[in-house]
Amino acid sequence: MNRREAVARVAWLMGGTLSAPTLMAMSRWEEGIDDQKTRPQTADSILDDGQREIVARVSDMIIPKTDTPGAIDVGVPAFMDVILRDCYKKPAQDAFIAGVQELERKNFLGLKPDQQTALLKQVEASATPSATSPSFWQIVKEVTLLGYFTSEAGIKASFDYQPIPGRFEAIKIKPGQKDFMYGNQV
């Protein structure tokens, strides 16, 4: 299993746990996505400009641009800001902001790419799930995957996009063929 497959499977698993507030936030995000890709649409963002740059860089490192769009291309940083503000409770927001501030304190954006990767590996290794609040790393990974795989570009990059698939016909997937829906992955 390669990284893209792993990311797709995690996103598929997350699809069954979307709550109404998450869906509402996604709808609000879709309404303003054309204006800006990395900034939220309202002035009441929970992140400042420097923190948004860090979040954008981290999401870009999780899903970089290759021959397919990356997290920044599909607007994950702005999506993340909306989801954090509208869907997460205060303890989770505080954990997320503390994680971003820790990266700020370590001059994350001033590091070389291999140093940034090493730092994020340390953050991942030290992330401990809590019964009351998710860690910064857990939130940033989950929301990056959610934002990417709920965007049209993310879906088109990973699946055979068919807005009107027609009637159901069972087919055999050939090796290397893009899937056309969630749940067909083996």
Side-chain angles (χ1 to χ4, degrees):
M1 174 184 313
N2 65 28
R3 189 178 70 94
R4 285 244 183 238
E5 287 179 67
V7 168
R9 288 183 184 190
V10 169
W12 178 80
L13 289 173
M14 290 174 45
T17 61
L18 296 179
S19 63
T22 302
L23 294 174
M24 287 174 34
M26 289 169 51
S27 175
R28 288 179 50 193
W29 175 73
E30 284 290 329
E31 292 170 4
I33 190 66
D34 292 334
D35 293 340
Q36 298 176 354
K37 296 271 184 180
T38 59
R39 291 179 174 264
Q41 301 307 307
T42 59
D44 55 348
S45 169
I46 64 169
L47 303 172
D48 63 30
D49 288 342
Q51 292 171 334
R52 276 195 292 276
E53 284 185 46
I54 291 173
V55 167
R57 178 65 184 136
V58 171
S59 65
D60 185 51
M61 293 179 74
I62 293 171
I63 304 178
K65 181 175 183 163
T66 58
D67 57 337
T68 61
I72 291 178
D73 298 323
V74 302
V76 165
F79 174 80
M80 191 173 305
D81 205 347
V82 171
I83 291 290
L84 283 169
R85 185 189 64 227
D86 294 347
C87 300
Y88 281 85
K89 293 181 178 177
K90 182 81 171 128
Q93 290 175 349
D94 291 344
F96 185 85
I97 291 172
V100 174
Q101 288 172 337
E102 182 67 21
L103 292 178
E104 276 183 311
R105 203 170 22 263
K106 294 182 177 178
N107 190 24
F108 180 75
L109 293 176
L111 299 174
K112 294 178 181 175
D114 59 329
Q115 293 171 320
Q116 290 176 336
T117 300
L119 180 56
L120 290 182
K121 285 182 179 180
Q122 289 175 357
V123 170
E124 183 177 26
S126 66
T128 54
S130 163
T132 57
S133 178
S135 69
F136 161 74
W137 185 248
Q138 183 182 6
I139 295 170
V140 77
K141 280 178 57 178
E142 284 179 354
V143 177
T144 297
L145 296 176
L146 179 65
Y148 186 81
F149 286 105
T150 55
S151 71
E152 183 176 335
I155 290 291
K156 283 181 176 178
S158 304
F159 297 95
D160 184 12
Y161 181 72
Q162 297 181 13
I164 303 172
R167 68 179 192 176
F168 175 78
E169 291 183 34
I171 61 168
K172 283 199 160 240
I173 303 291
K174 299 173 186 156
Q177 180 181 354
K178 282 186 175 180
D179 205 346
F180 63 94
M181 60 183 274
Y182 290 120
N184 279 348
Q185 299 83 13
V186 180

